[in-house]
Amino acid sequence: MAGCTHAREMPQLVLEKWTINEEEPQMDNIVSALWLPNGQYYDAKVLQKGEATFVAIMERCDDEYRCLSLSSGDSKLLQSVSEVYFTARENEEEMVDSDSESSSSDSCDDLKDMQDFDFDFLEIHASEKTRVEKFYEETCHCKLAADEKPCSTTLKIDDFVDCRNNCSELSSTELDLVILGAIQSEEQALILPGRVPGFKGIDVKLLPSNLTKHGLWRTYTEICVGTGTPSVGYSKFCDLWNQLCPFIVIMRPAMDLCWTCQKNNNRIRNSVNLPESDKAEAVRAQEQHLLLASRERNFYKNCCRESKDGIQEYLKVVDFTVERELCSYTGTVYYSYDYAQQLHFPADPNQPGPIYFKTPRKCALFGVCCEAVPRQVNFLIDESVLTGKGANSTTSYVDYFFHRHGLGETKAQLHADNCGAQNKNSAFLWYYLWRVMIGLHDSIYYDFLLPGHTKFAPDWCFGLVKQKTRRTFISSLFDIARTVEDSATVNVAELVGLHNGSVLIATHDWVAYLGQYFKKLPQIKSFYHFRFNKEHPGTVFCKRYWDSEEKAVNLLRNRNFLPESGQLPDIVNPQGISRERADYLFKEIREFCRDRTENLVAPQVS
C-alpha cells in the first residue's frame, strides 16, 4: 500500500503497457493496489477478455485506463504478489484488531478496580465545594443586579463551579487576561466614533467620569477576597490595564459627549434582566446610531481629502501675506470653523495660589481652518470688544476670513459643529444665500457633523494652542497672539480688538440686514446638509444626511426685492468692560500681571 515500508521483497514484474482501443473487457477480479518496479503506485484491476488476461491500471492523476498483457507465467507471478503482499497484510491487521480488543477489555477491568480505590485528593474537592457553596449563600454583596440585588444571585451554582474549574487550568498570564474580559468595555463603556480630545486613537472607549482606576481596583480586590482567589496589586493592575486595554479610559468631567450615545449605553446596561427582545432592541438602536455617525464622519473625511488633492498645484503659487481676488481660483476649497473655550490672562504655569479663586481677563477664541493647506486663523476676541457668540459675530468673522484669508475659490465647502446658537441658524443660511447671489461664490456647501460627534480639525488646532498656553506665562493679548503663532505652523493669530476697546474687526448686524430679504427655514435643526447655487437665487437645497434625498426651499420674501452688491450691514458696537468689572481687574488681577503690562490688562479706572 502507499506509504508502507515493505517487510518482504516484492517479486519483480516486467510488463509491457498498452492502451485498450477495442470494446472494454469485462471485469473478472479486483486487486486493491499494485506497486510496479518504477516505484509508482497504481490502482489495479484484473480484466478478462476471451482467453486473454489483462491488468487494468488507472493512474491517480488521470481517468484513462491503460492495460498490461500477461502471459500465463506472469499471471502466476501476479497471483504470488497478491498473496505475499496483500493477503499476508490483511492477516496482520486482523491480529492487530484482535490485540486491541483484548487490551480494551483489560483496560475496562482495570477501570473497575480503580473505582474502588480511595483517592487522597477527595478532601481538596470537598474543600472546593464548601468554598463555592459558602460564596453562593453569602453572595458577592454588590447591588448591580435588578432591584439592587447582588449580581451573583443571577447565576447558578454550576456556573461558579465551571468558572473556577476553567480558571484552575489557566496560567498566570492567561489569568491576567481574565481582568481584561471582566471589564466588559463594550457594555460598560461609552463608544464615541471620531476623534476624542486628548487622545490620538479613534477607538477610545470612555468609562463614566465618577469612576477611578483605584476605585475599580478596590472593587476587583473585594471580589477576589470574597471568592478566595489571589489578586494583583494596584500598580500591577494599572500596568495590565495600560498593556492590555489602553483604549479604555475614564472620561474627564465636562467632556463634550453625545447624549444619544449615553442614553443608549444606559439602556443597554439596564437591560440585564430584561427579555432578550428588549436587549436586542437596545443594542440595535446603539448600532444604528453609531453607524450613522460613522457615515457622516467618513463624508467629512472624504471632503477633506478631495479638497486637499485638488488644490495642491494652486497652493504652490499662493501668497498668504496678500489678499486673493474673489473667484480667482476655479475649484473647491474646504473650510471648517468652531469656537474654543475662552482663555484667561494673566496666566502663569506656576499658578499663584490666590489667583485660582479669581476671574482674570477673558479672551474668546474662534478658529476657521483650511484643512487642505493646513492653516487655521484664530480670532482672539478680548472681552472689551466682545459682542457675544451669536450669529452676528460669528458671521462677521467668517466674512472677514473669506475677504482676508480665503483662497479666492469659486466653490466653498464648509463644516460646522452643529451648535444652534452659533452657526446652525437661519442667519447663516441667509448669509450664504447672499454670497452666491451677489457673486462672491458660484456655489457653497454647508454641512454639519452629527450632534455629539463633532470633533474635527479646529479642535486639533485648538489643542495645540492650549498645550502651548499651559506652558507659557501670558500677561496680555499680545502674549496670546505670540503663543498662538508659536504653538504650531498651522496656527495664525488675528486680533479682533485691543485692550483699550479699539475694534480691529467689526461686527455687523447680519440678522437685521438679511432678515429683510429672506425668511426662516422651517425645521432647520432636522437638516444637516445645505447647498446654495447662484443659478438658483434665494433657494436652499437641504437634506437630512449626506445620502438622503435633497429638498429645495425658496427663502426669498420678495423676488423683486433683492440685496445689492457692495452693501454691508450696520456695525454693532461692543458694550466694552463695565465699571464694576474694571474695578475688579484693577484691585484683584493687576498684581499678577508682568511689569509694563498691568496698565493694558487692569488699568486704574478714571
Side-chain angles (χ1 to χ4, degrees), residues 332-403:
T332 304
V333 179
Y334 185 81
Y335 303 103
S336 54
Y337 54 83
D338 192 14
Y339 273 99
Q341 291 182 347
Q342 61 187 4
L343 300 173
H344 290 85
F345 64 99
D348 191 344
N350 301 319
Q351 185 184 66
I355 201 174
Y356 179 81
F357 303 96
K358 303 182 185 299
T359 307
R361 192 154 176 163
K362 303 172 185 178
C363 175
L365 194 63
F366 177 76
V368 183
C369 181
C370 179
E371 281 89 340
V373 179
R375 184 173 184 263
Q376 175 164 307
V377 177
N378 298 276
F379 292 86
L380 308 180
I381 314 161
D382 182 68
E383 63 177 292
S384 63
V385 296
L386 181 65
T387 57
K389 294 184 179 180
N392 283 333
S393 58
T394 307
T395 306
S396 298
Y397 303 145
V398 173
D399 183 71
Y400 179 87
F401 175 86
F402 279 131
H403 176 72

Side-chain angles (χ1 to χ4, degrees), residues 429-430 432-433 436 442-448 521-522 524 527-546 548-555 559:
L429 302 187
W430 300 344
Y432 291 130
L433 284 172
V436 298
D442 291 347
S443 61
I444 295 177
Y445 296 82
Y446 190 37
D447 306 300
F448 295 92
L521 174 67
I524 184 175
F527 302 105
Y528 299 139
H529 300 272
F530 304 90
R531 180 172 64 90
F532 316 88
N533 193 283
K534 68 176 183 179
E535 303 297 334
H536 304 277
T539 300
V540 56
F541 299 88
C542 50
K543 53 185 179 180
R544 183 168 180 81
Y545 305 117
W546 71 270
S548 302
E549 184 178 356
E550 197 172 57
K551 176 183 178 182
V553 181
N554 190 288
L555 300 183
R559 294 182 180 273

Side-chain angles (χ1 to χ4, degrees), residues 88-144:
R89 292 192 62 82
E90 291 176 358
N91 294 335
E92 291 178 0
E93 291 175 357
E94 291 177 359
M95 294 177 62
V96 171
D97 293 340
S98 177
D99 293 341
S100 300
E101 293 177 0
S102 176
S103 175
S104 175
S105 177
D106 295 341
S107 300
C108 293
D109 294 337
D110 294 341
L111 182 60
K112 293 179 180 178
D113 295 338
M114 292 176 66
Q115 290 178 350
D116 298 332
F117 188 80
D118 189 12
F119 289 100
D120 294 336
F121 51 80
L122 287 179
E123 281 188 22
I124 301 177
H125 289 177
S127 175
E128 173 70 12
K129 181 180 179 181
T130 303
R131 187 178 302 171
V132 172
E133 291 177 347
K134 181 180 179 181
F135 174 79
Y136 188 74
E137 293 175 359
E138 296 179 353
T139 74
C140 60
H141 304 293
C142 75
K143 296 181 180 180
L144 300 179

Side-chain angles (χ1 to χ4, degrees), residues 214-233:
H214 195 271
L216 292 174
W217 172 77
R218 284 201 309 268
T219 303
Y220 153 74
T221 304
E222 291 172 0
I223 294 175
C224 290
V225 172
T227 57
T229 57
S231 62
V232 299

Side-chain angles (χ1 to χ4, degrees), residues 1-6 32-35 41 85-86 89 93:
M1 298 180 65
C4 295
T5 303
H6 295 272
S32 59
L34 180 65
W35 281 90
Y41 175 65
Y85 191 77
F86 296 106
R89 292 192 62 82
E93 291 175 357

Side-chain angles (χ1 to χ4, degrees), residues 362-551:
K362 303 172 185 178
C363 175
L365 194 63
F366 177 76
V368 183
C369 181
C370 179
E371 281 89 340
V373 179
R375 184 173 184 263
Q376 175 164 307
V377 177
N378 298 276
F379 292 86
L380 308 180
I381 314 161
D382 182 68
E383 63 177 292
S384 63
V385 296
L386 181 65
T387 57
K389 294 184 179 180
N392 283 333
S393 58
T394 307
T395 306
S396 298
Y397 303 145
V398 173
D399 183 71
Y400 179 87
F401 175 86
F402 279 131
H403 176 72
R404 173 63 183 84
H405 301 279
L407 298 180
E409 66 283 344
T410 56
K411 298 180 181 179
Q413 188 163 9
L414 302 105
H415 248 98
D417 72 339
N418 220 332
C419 179
Q422 296 170 357
N423 44 52
K424 193 176 185 181
N425 47 50
S426 297
F428 252 109
L429 302 187
W430 300 344
Y431 170 71
Y432 291 130
L433 284 172
W434 173 80
R435 288 194 68 88
V436 298
M437 288 178 67
I438 66 174
L440 301 180
H441 278 105
D442 291 347
S443 61
I444 295 177
Y445 296 82
Y446 190 37
D447 306 300
F448 295 92
L449 292 167
L450 205 65
H453 301 267
T454 58
K455 305 305 176 186
F456 57 152
D459 295 301
W460 164 57
C461 297
F462 290 145
L464 298 174
V465 172
K466 294 297 180 67
Q467 289 179 0
K468 185 65 176 180
T469 55
R470 292 193 195 102
R471 303 190 302 267
T472 307
F473 181 44
I474 296 173
S475 187
S476 67
L477 279 174
F478 306 118
D479 291 339
I480 297 179
R482 182 168 55 252
T483 304
V484 169
E485 299 275 356
D486 294 341
S487 62
T489 56
V490 299
N491 281 319
V492 178
E494 189 74 58
L495 289 173
V496 175
L498 302 179
H499 303 85
N500 58 3
S502 300
V503 177
L504 303 179
I505 300 176
T507 298
H508 297 271
D509 192 357
W510 291 98
V511 175
Y513 174 72
L514 297 175
Q516 57 185 332
Y517 303 108
F518 306 102
K519 56 187 177 181
K520 293 185 177 180
L521 174 67
Q523 300 179 342
I524 184 175
K525 292 187 177 181
S526 63
F527 302 105
Y528 299 139
H529 300 272
F530 304 90
R531 180 172 64 90
F532 316 88
N533 193 283
K534 68 176 183 179
E535 303 297 334
H536 304 277
T539 300
V540 56
F541 299 88
C542 50
K543 53 185 179 180
R544 183 168 180 81
Y545 305 117
W546 71 270
D547 53 353
S548 302
E549 184 178 356
E550 197 172 57
K551 176 183 178 182

Side-chain angles (χ1 to χ4, degrees), residues 55 88 96 114 184 261 299 315 324 380 404 410 453 560 603:
V55 176
V96 171
M114 292 176 66
Q184 298 179 353
C261 283
F299 172 74
L315 290 177
R324 263 72 59 191
L380 308 180
R404 173 63 183 84
T410 56
H453 301 267
N560 299 321

